[in-house]
Amino acid sequence: MAITRPKGTNDIMPEEMKRWHYMENIMRTIGQTYGYSEIRTPMFEHTELFQRGVGETSDIVEKEMYTFQDKGNRSITLRPEGTASVVRAFVENRDYAEAQPTKYYYQGPMFRYSRPQAGRYRQFNQFGVEAFGSKDPAIDAEVIAMCMEFFEKLGLQRMELHINSVGCKVCRPVHKQALKDYLAPSYEELCDTCKNRYEANPLRIFDCKSETCQEIVKDAPTITSCLCEECTDHLNELKILLDASGIEYILNENLVRGLDYYTKTAFEVMVSDIGAQSSIGGGGRYDSLVEEVGGPDMSGIGFAVGLERTLLSMKAQEVSVLDKEPINVFIAVISDQEKVPAYQLMQQLRKNGIAAEMDVLGRSLKAQFKYANKRGFSHVVTIGNEEVQNMRYPLKNMKKKEESKVSIEEMILTLKEEA
RNA sequence: GUGGGUGUAGUUCAAAGGUAGAGCGCCAGAUUGUGGUUCUGGAUGUUGUGGGUUCGAGUCCCAUCAUCCACCCCA
């Protein structure tokens, strides 16, 4: 039996790679225009980072981490998300001592152990940004704008932006108590998961898909109704900024995020028709995470978008990625005798920056042309005895079906002009 | 972790318990050194794996693995 890829992983084959490069270019452009610099952190970290950073009660930490002992007996975890690592790097490299704010973006694979399905994989890629050192809602607005601009630049349509405030360490305990008081009489009717949530993190009951839980929670006090003055002002200012910059959003008071570190602003971007996993990006503010990881008391905010899901949406919406036709030459060889001169010509073209390949399967001339056509070469040069003698070569433009006899110098010139 | 669907050629899929097939793709040819269309020919399978029922199993049963989808959760 042939060896297959591990469950939940994907090979990105060359054909697919075009779309990835396209997305990556857009990331760089957006990062650049918003003043964010790329950062790359390790794909594995000390397990403790995620336990402290992402939160012990989150499902990610409880049951989805790839954790193992290394040979030095350290507990190591493949990163399940990017924020904790970026925060760690920000603290460890003392970037907090530089002029603020500090703004990073990153891209790379994340790992979560869960059953794969449409749009959910064990290794998946995220594009994310993090901004440290400012509590200003303008940063919240800018981060949300970047996220939306990423999708828009890709040509996606019909995204839904949901925003909410999940409060801070002042108002959250107030809401938690209010919520528990409200739920207490109906406790027995809650589903088993929500019974556990009741103590650990009652806020997440809002997220439950169970109809009875939804019914119970329908009129429960939302976090919004319990927000302190600071959080209320923050949310209001954010809304003003979003309105002012023409970003449409839905204020979703039930929006709760699965990672424990969020404070104040939380948001999520949804798109339909990619199956059950409709969330293609999300993020929020985390005002105590930096300190939690051992840094100074500094706030942060960021988002992460799932690139595989983004790609699925692009395919579902039939967004085309146009790339221009390449100029590349196939060198057709008539007989074995022209192999050496053909090879020399190929290398000479390559050294002049022209993509060139030659036949390496000893095929008939006809078969070589068929191959060149199938592989989309823009030009074919044929080399036979006559060409070697005269130093002039028939250069055929495959699209225009035109052929002319040229010297090598003329060939290079023509090809460079067309590129 | 729970539930459901599906495993047959490179690929998409047929074959109603009785000789494993088709489209696409791939390779070759249609007279001398030129592609896309057309025509002709060709190659390719331990029917995921292991058991069982049967005179006989791709087909029925059991197990196992893989994969897809959904729940959970999230990107």
Side-chain angles (χ1 to χ4, degrees):
Chain A
M1 189 54 186
I3 296 171
T4 58
R5 61 177 193 269
K7 190 193 275 286
T9 62
N10 289 300
D11 298 313
I12 303 172
M13 299 304 280
E15 184 55 32
E16 188 74 6
M17 211 68 221
K18 284 182 208 157
R19 288 175 175 272
W20 284 88
H21 288 157
Y22 185 73
M23 288 199 298
E24 285 161 15
N25 284 335
I26 289 174
M27 286 172 211
R28 288 197 193 95
T29 310
I30 291 178
Q32 208 255 324
T33 51
Y34 280 79
Y36 288 65
S37 314
E38 182 169 9
I39 183 173
R40 295 193 190 185
T41 63
M43 288 185 211
F44 59 86
E45 298 273 1
H46 293 292
T47 303
E48 197 193 349
L49 173 66
F50 301 116
Q51 287 171 337
R52 280 222 306 240
V54 180
E56 299 275 10
T57 63
S58 68
D59 275 39
I60 292 176
V61 171
E62 273 183 355
K63 48 190 193 191
E64 292 183 356
M65 293 210 300
Y66 272 95
T67 299
F68 59 95
Q69 297 288 121
D70 74 2
K71 293 189 182 187
N73 233 12
R74 289 169 278 256
S75 180
I76 295 295
T77 295
L78 264 35
R79 60 178 186 197
E81 56 100 49
T83 302
S85 298
V86 173
V87 170
R88 197 224 76 235
F90 172 69
V91 172
E92 190 166 343
N93 293 280
R94 310 280 194 274
D95 265 8
Y96 56 75
E98 305 293 323
Q100 298 304 319
T102 304
K103 307 200 282 191
Y104 308 117
Y105 76 90
Y106 62 87
Q107 183 258 322
M110 307 296 162
F111 307 85
R112 289 183 203 173
Y113 190 90
S114 58
R115 281 275 278 272
Q117 73 187 67
R120 197 178 63 191
Y121 312 100
R122 289 183 174 179
Q123 178 178 336
F124 61 100
N125 287 273
Q126 286 188 334
F127 161 52
V129 313
E130 312 292 347
F132 300 103
S134 171
K135 289 185 191 306
D136 194 320
I139 295 283
D140 303 47
E142 139 179 327
V143 161
I144 291 172
M146 279 181 87
C147 184
M148 297 312 284
E149 193 170 326
F150 175 68
F151 296 128
E152 279 160 18
K153 276 218 158 78
L154 283 171
L156 280 178
Q157 293 175 325
R158 300 187 294 278
M159 291 88 69
E160 250 182 33
L161 169 65
H162 291 224
I163 68 166
N164 192 20
S165 175
V166 294
C168 65
K169 57 187 168 201
V170 175
C171 44
R172 211 132 72 167
V174 175
H175 172 248
K176 188 171 175 179
Q177 196 49 54
L179 191 55
K180 283 170 78 171
D181 290 346
Y182 175 87
L183 291 171
S186 325
Y187 178 82
E188 284 307 320
E189 297 165 50
L190 291 172
C191 72
D192 290 347
T193 332
C194 285
K195 278 180 182 145
N196 290 332
R197 285 168 172 160
Y198 180 81
E199 272 308 323
N201 195 350
L203 201 57
R204 290 192 38 212
I205 298 177
F206 280 105
D207 242 0
C208 188
K209 301 279 196 301
S210 144
E211 275 183 35
T212 45
C213 293
Q214 276 300 325
E215 191 57 35
I216 293 167
V217 103
K218 201 176 58 166
D219 299 315
T222 63
I223 179 73
T224 324
S225 62
C226 300
L227 290 180
C228 65
E229 202 184 332
E230 188 188 316
C231 288
T232 310
D233 291 348
H234 190 93
L235 180 60
N236 285 336
E237 199 175 329
L238 172 62
K239 290 197 293 195
I240 290 168
L241 288 163
L242 290 176
D243 290 337
S245 54
I247 293 177
E248 286 179 31
Y249 58 88
I250 295 164
L251 183 66
N252 179 352
E253 294 187 10
N254 292 342
L255 175 66
V256 180
R257 312 228 64 236
L259 286 69
D260 292 354
Y261 51 63
Y262 289 112
T263 56
K264 292 194 173 76
T265 308
F267 66 96
E268 195 161 331
V269 183
M270 257 91 83
V271 76
S272 51
D273 62 27
I274 57 165
Q277 310 301 315
S278 59
S279 168
I280 55 175
R285 177 166 277 282
Y286 43 87
D287 282 341
S288 43
L289 182 58
V290 176
E291 197 170 13
E292 188 74 32
V293 169
D297 176 14
M298 255 183 165
S299 59
I301 175 164
F303 71 76
V305 323
L307 296 179
E308 281 82 359
R309 287 185 189 174
T310 303
L311 232 36
L312 279 179
S313 325
M314 286 171 71
K315 282 179 186 164
Q317 297 190 6
E318 294 176 344
V319 176
S320 62
V321 176
L322 24 95
D323 56 344
K324 64 173 187 182
E325 300 279 325
I327 296 295
N328 51 0
V329 185
F330 184 79
I331 299 168
V333 188
I334 302 240
S335 78
D336 221 35
Q337 291 187 315
E338 290 84 34
K339 203 168 144 186
V340 172
Y343 185 83
Q344 284 177 312
L345 172 62
M346 176 174 74
Q347 286 303 92
Q348 196 174 344
L349 290 173
R350 285 172 172 175
K351 285 195 174 135
N352 280 279
I354 295 160
E357 286 176 66
M358 64 184 274
D359 179 63
V360 285
L361 291 176
R363 282 178 283 217
S364 71
L365 189 64
K366 196 187 186 97
Q368 292 183 56
F369 265 84
K370 273 193 169 181
Y371 172 80
N373 182 63
K374 216 170 295 174
R375 282 294 164 95
F377 282 89
S378 62
H379 296 78
V380 176
V381 182
T382 308
I383 294 199
N385 186 35
E386 195 189 314
E387 286 77 14
V388 175
Q389 301 282 314
N390 302 339
M391 308 273 284
R392 291 186 72 77
Y393 307 86
L395 176 67
K396 182 165 188 177
N397 182 319
M398 296 295 275
K399 212 166 191 176
K400 295 182 186 161
K401 304 179 189 179
E402 289 168 0
E403 187 173 290
S404 55
K405 289 218 167 193
V406 293
S407 69
I408 293 183
E409 289 71 27
E410 289 167 337
M411 190 188 298
I412 292 169
L413 230 75
T414 314
L415 293 168
K416 277 194 168 169
E417 254 170 44
E418 288 186 37

